[in-house]
Amino acid sequence: MSRRSSVQVPVVMACCAIAFLQGCAKSVRNRPVDAESAVLVGAGDIADCRDLAGAEATAKLLEQIPGTVMAVGDLAYPDGSKENFECYDQTWGRMKARTRPSPGNHEFHAAGATPYFAYFGAAAGDPQNGYYSYELGTGHIVVLNSECAEVGGCEAGSRQEKWLRADLTAHPAACTLAYWHKPLFSSGSAHGNDVSVKPLWQALYDAKADVVIAGHDHNYERFGLQNADGVADPAGGIREFVVGTGGKNQRPMGAIDANSEVRNADAFGVLKLTLHPNSYDWQFVPEAGKNFVDSGSGRCHGSPGSSQSPFQSLPRSRRGVGRSGAHADVLP
């Protein structure tokens, strides 16, 4: 080997390492999606008329990511009014035509969340319910209303819980995802766990659903596979993401829940889920100027051989890259 070649080899290897560490998020975000795959992307806790900088930062991310947008509650602050939705419209409203929303508690600061349902129209489901479902690629997506008091409760036997079980029975799919505003599990200091939605989680667990996405706490958190009681269940559990990072503000974490795998409380951003016929990829895409990312893959419970698959969960997380290299954000 020539002297020139021997110099080039370590240089090339170094460049590849740097490209992997620094370009990981960009390469995953821009990776082509095959014809059988689909993208679901979004967050909750979004546009505050008093300061739209965060919502604008995440809206710019959505403009670069094709796919269906999930707006996961508390979309228009402070009160979900018609005027507040005009502020939402300036930011995430640019993606309104491809948005499927769920309501949050701030939407119901306005009686019956009337401005929310008026703004989104049929895309928000029946105004008497605020819950609905749709197909995305080969997956089934369920959108629920965690404002339980507004829809006759969320307990077992409630109208929403019975509808959910019927919907899941009628729409068997290899991959089933659900999103609503208030998380069953959260380490956020402001709100934390909300047990009122536990029966909805149980119905999803019984139907072998794969992923739940929520907001409410203004931070990002990823949980390992677990059941409705918070017990780790690597074979049949649901993975939950808390993505209250749409732009409102950020809040610190509190006491850490069991099975919490990754947390971040200083970056706005969106969660991108790429749904394949039998699996899904996840990636947290941060606002410009922030380095925190979290990505990984999971096999769907309804896919062939899922209980034996080594592909059950392959998380990859980091805060960013500095002179000392990549810093893992998988916290104890």
Side-chain angles (χ1 to χ4, degrees), residues 42-115:
D45 307 277
I46 300 169
D48 188 343
C49 286
R50 297 162 293 195
D51 182 359
L52 288 176
E56 179 60 28
T58 53
K60 288 178 179 177
L61 297 176
L62 294 176
E63 289 179 321
Q64 301 174 49
I65 304 173
T68 298
V69 174
M70 53 178 175
V72 191
D74 281 8
L75 316 180
Y77 289 88
D79 298 311
S81 65
K82 179 181 178 181
E83 293 74 20
N84 294 166
F85 270 97
E86 291 173 1
C87 297
Y88 175 92
D89 193 62
Q90 295 173 37
T91 55
W92 281 45
R94 302 200 293 269
M95 281 60 67
K96 181 179 178 181
R98 57 187 177 104
T99 297
R100 302 306 304 268
S102 63
N105 50 294
H106 279 264
E107 274 67 67
F108 281 94
H109 285 192
T114 300

Side-chain angles (χ1 to χ4, degrees), residues 202-214:
Q202 185 64 53
L204 289 159
Y205 179 84
D206 291 344
K208 301 185 184 302
D210 301 284
V211 173
V212 164
I213 305 104

